[in-house]
Amino acid sequence: MPSLLIDRVSRAIEAGAEELLRHQRPDGAFVDDPPGSILGTAGAITALHRADPAGSSTLVGQGAAWLRAHQRADGGWGGVVGADSEPVATAVATAALRITSATDSAEAVRAGRRALAAFGGVAAVTDLAVNHLCRQFLSLAGLPEAGRLRRLPLEIVRFDDLRRRRISFRTAPFVALALMQTRTLPAGPLRRASLRRAQPAALRLLEAIDEHEGHTGDFSEDPWPAALVCLGLSHADLAPHLVSSIVGFLRRSVRPDGSWDAVTNLDLTRSAFAATGLIAAGYGNDPRLARTRELFHRCQQQQPFTVLGVPAGGWSYCCARGWPVTLESAEIVAALTGFPDHGNDPALRRGVEWLLDRQDQRGSWSLWVRDTKLANDGPCPGITSQGIVALRDAGHGPDSAPVAAAARWLLTRQRPDGTFENLWYRDFTSGTAMVLDALAHAGHGAHPVSVRARDWLLRTQLDDGSWGSGNSPAGSVEETAWTVHALLASGSTAADEPIQRGVGWLLDTQQPDGAWPAARVCAYIRQHMHYPNGAITRGLALRALSAYRIRVRGNV
């Protein structure tokens, strides 16, 4: 019976909340200890080797040694430490070692090339842009696996709307690598003239990004794209001040073990999910969480991000001068609705207005650019679900125009098996659960689409009571929590056997210190590279268990 579990659930919620709060900094941000990134490290040492060979030789050597130490037994690399080998990290790490330390890394390079061949070569990377990046690194390393490089159309930078929709958040590395090609790939007279006309516009875009970020050189607080920009500009002998600034960022952001993170600063991502989890657990009035509310107020964007055409009023995943994104902004809006006196919060009102402005014409939400054509930016069922939940929490009714439009779009996006995609988390359990939850918030919990989604989730529960990716033999805290929460929102009762088993698994998985183990469910490169985020893990677990406790106490 649910009542037999409720005391244990309450103890788990309190232990989990207090453990999560121990990861809060005095400024209100929540921190985590992510694993080192193979891609970030490979990119950083390649860029430093090119742009600062004398000053950064020690860092390059340490990073190369770290890559060799984390090569998998099959000769490949995963995206982060502990992940299985995959072709993107394998291609880039192999090339980076060949470029930066060919003698010391000769055997590692040979093993990496064998592993890449076992994947089917670079052809195994289905994302065209990422495929090109792999080929570019292999080409710089002089490896035949690069094949023929396609020329990047630098001229697209002269047409802002087209660039935003086609390239979106990949603008900075695209521009830098296209500039590099002006020096490394031959072109005829007409093409050279066209490239000369495009080059000033391309450099202005990179300058605009640097200006928005406060001249930090971090290019989205991420060593991988920052390294690509540094590498491209240094090869092209352009913008030495930007190259120097990025070198400084890469030198500052190296980890003590000689590696680099996938993303250096995820303060707002972690804090958003921590806050919604703690608020669900009943901590909305806790003075410690008030510091996080102040963080959200301080970090609300005050300037538009012109490069992607995004107005002020949203939030980035890192800081006050980062790249504003819908995912984190929607989660922060939802969090702000859970604080005392939220009806008088100007940051919340402005955030809701920003979210409404960012809705696509089709009713969905994308990550950065409205109505983008780039598959990895949007439209996204997961982010659209977050938008619905945030607006409902902020007072929009299920029949309000933006909620109804988003729900209509979601109802058209179901896959034949009942699932939904999620561009920024591991498919397909996360997307299916988030959409089911959102459709219930939008008044469509009994719709046939919701029924099919619910039935798929129930069919894919694992024998131990957890949920995984849908085709994984092991469950994760994140996917189990998403699913339990969604099933409860869509009509399941606390007494239902799948809910009891899922809650029991979450309780059994909690560690002695109150934390839950994080799985690699966050997408860095969709379908290729995923990483863990402990704050998301804890926040989702708290939300699921708190929803269960509310149902038990309400005898539902």
Side-chain angles (χ1 to χ4, degrees):
M1 293 293 294
S3 58
L4 299 178
L5 278 178
I6 193 63
D7 288 342
R8 188 180 173 199
V9 167
S10 293
R11 291 194 298 272
I13 290 172
E14 182 179 0
E18 292 300 326
E19 190 279 335
L20 180 53
L21 284 163
R22 288 196 290 274
H23 290 266
Q24 186 187 37
R25 293 198 311 248
D27 66 355
F30 286 80
V31 298
D32 194 18
D33 184 22
S37 165
I38 302 298
L39 201 61
T41 302
I45 64 170
T46 305
L48 291 173
H49 177 75
R50 172 71 191 191
D52 186 37
S56 298
S57 60
T58 299
L59 292 181
V60 171
Q62 291 172 348
W66 184 90
L67 285 175
R68 292 193 297 270
H70 289 88
Q71 190 170 26
R72 306 283 295 181
D74 62 3
W77 284 268
V80 296
V81 173
D84 292 337
S85 296
E86 55 80 29
V88 178
T90 298
V92 174
T94 299
L97 289 177
R98 172 71 176 264
I99 293 167
T100 63
S101 55
T103 301
D104 291 342
S105 302
E107 180 51 41
V109 170
R110 283 192 289 270
R113 294 178 68 184
R114 289 194 297 269
L116 185 59
F119 284 119
V122 182
V125 182
T126 54
D127 184 302
L128 291 179
V130 180
N131 182 291
H132 174 82
L133 288 173
C134 293
R135 293 182 186 278
Q136 183 65 78
F137 267 75
L138 291 165
S139 176
L140 291 174
L143 293 173
E145 288 86 350
R148 182 178 178 181
L149 284 179
R150 64 187 178 94
R151 185 182 292 278
L152 299 177
L154 182 65
E155 294 86 349
I156 198 174
V157 301
R158 300 175 63 193
F159 310 96
D160 279 341
D161 288 343
L162 180 63
R163 171 187 55 78
R164 288 166 182 155
R165 285 185 280 112
R166 295 291 183 182
I167 305 175
S168 182
F169 66 94
R170 290 172 170 167
T171 289
F174 174 94
V175 165
L177 295 179
L179 288 170
M180 178 171 71
Q181 289 184 346
T182 64
R183 300 294 180 90
T184 60
L185 290 183
L190 291 178
R191 189 61 188 272
R192 288 198 299 271
S194 177
L195 291 173
R196 282 195 299 271
R197 289 194 296 270
Q199 181 172 303
L203 291 173
R204 283 196 297 272
L205 282 172
L206 297 180
E207 294 282 6
I209 293 172
D210 187 53
E211 171 69 25
H212 182 82
E213 295 177 333
H215 306 293
T216 57
D218 57 43
F219 280 83
S220 76
E221 290 272 0
D222 190 335
W224 169 240
L228 293 176
V229 175
C230 182
L231 194 62
L233 290 177
S234 59
H235 270 279
D237 292 323
L238 293 170
H241 62 293
L242 291 180
V243 172
S244 177
S245 185
I246 298 171
V247 166
F249 163 69
L250 293 175
R251 290 177 61 87
R252 293 192 304 272
S253 58
V254 65
R255 293 157 56 104
D257 63 359
S259 68
W260 279 261
D261 288 336
V263 183
T264 301
N265 185 348
L266 288 172
D267 280 357
L268 293 181
T269 306
R270 298 185 185 107
S271 300
F273 282 89
T276 52
L278 288 165
I279 288 167
Y283 282 71
N285 291 317
D286 192 294
R288 292 171 292 182
L289 204 53
R291 298 200 298 268
T292 303
R293 184 188 194 187
E294 293 168 0
L295 172 76
F296 295 152
H297 285 187
R298 289 195 307 273
C299 290
Q300 190 169 32
Q301 297 272 303
Q302 300 303 313
Q303 300 294 329
F305 187 36
T306 57
V307 172
L308 297 184
V310 183
W315 288 268
S316 76
Y317 47 76
C318 63
C319 51
R321 302 194 72 160
W323 297 28
V325 288
T326 307
L327 189 158
E328 279 78 3
S329 296
E331 195 71 19
I332 290 172
V333 165
L336 290 174
T337 65
F339 287 108
D341 296 326
H342 65 267
N344 298 319
D345 186 348
L348 172 58
R349 289 196 299 272
R350 193 179 185 202
V352 170
E353 292 170 358
W354 184 90
L355 194 59
L356 293 172
D357 175 81
R358 303 313 297 158
Q359 190 171 22
D360 297 330
Q361 292 181 5
R362 55 199 158 221
S364 58
W365 274 275
S366 302
L367 187 63
W368 268 293
V369 177
R370 290 182 72 246
D371 302 308
T372 180
K373 301 296 184 182
L374 182 66
N376 275 13
D377 187 357
C380 175
I383 296 175
T384 301
S385 298
Q386 284 184 287
I388 288 175
V389 172
L391 291 181
R392 291 288 287 117
D393 288 349
H396 279 252
D399 296 327
S400 72
V403 171
R408 284 195 300 271
W409 182 80
L410 285 177
L411 292 172
T412 69
R413 305 310 298 173
Q414 191 169 45
R415 301 170 73 245
D417 63 354
T419 60
F420 288 85
E421 293 183 318
N422 196 352
L423 300 187
W424 292 97
Y425 296 100
R426 187 168 70 179
D427 285 327
F428 288 95
T429 301
S430 66
T432 306
M434 290 174 72
V435 170
L436 179 61
D437 202 332
L439 289 176
H441 275 78
H444 294 286
H447 193 283
V449 167
S450 296
V451 173
R452 287 194 294 272
R454 186 175 185 273
D455 287 347
W456 183 85
L457 290 170
L458 292 173
R459 286 197 309 272
T460 56
Q461 187 173 25
L462 299 174
D463 290 341
D464 61 4
S466 67
W467 277 268
S469 66
N471 58 4
S472 170
S476 73
V477 172
E478 298 85 354
E479 287 151 327
T480 302
W482 264 314
T483 303
V484 167
H485 195 278
L487 291 174
L488 289 171
S490 64
S492 292
T493 71
D496 287 351
E497 187 259 350
I499 297 294
Q500 290 280 289
R501 292 173 59 221
V503 168
W505 186 87
L506 288 173
L507 294 175
D508 291 342
T509 308
Q510 190 175 29
Q511 297 168 337
D513 64 354
W516 282 273
R520 292 184 293 274
V521 300
C522 302
Y524 187 76
I525 296 178
R526 188 164 183 256
Q527 298 176 344
H528 289 290
M529 292 176 57
H530 295 80
Y531 65 96
N533 188 322
I536 290 180
T537 308
R538 295 164 171 88
L540 292 174
L542 289 173
R543 283 166 54 182
L545 293 178
S546 298
Y548 173 83
R549 182 170 64 178
I550 289 172
R551 285 301 182 94
V552 172
R553 287 177 173 174
N555 294 318
V556 178

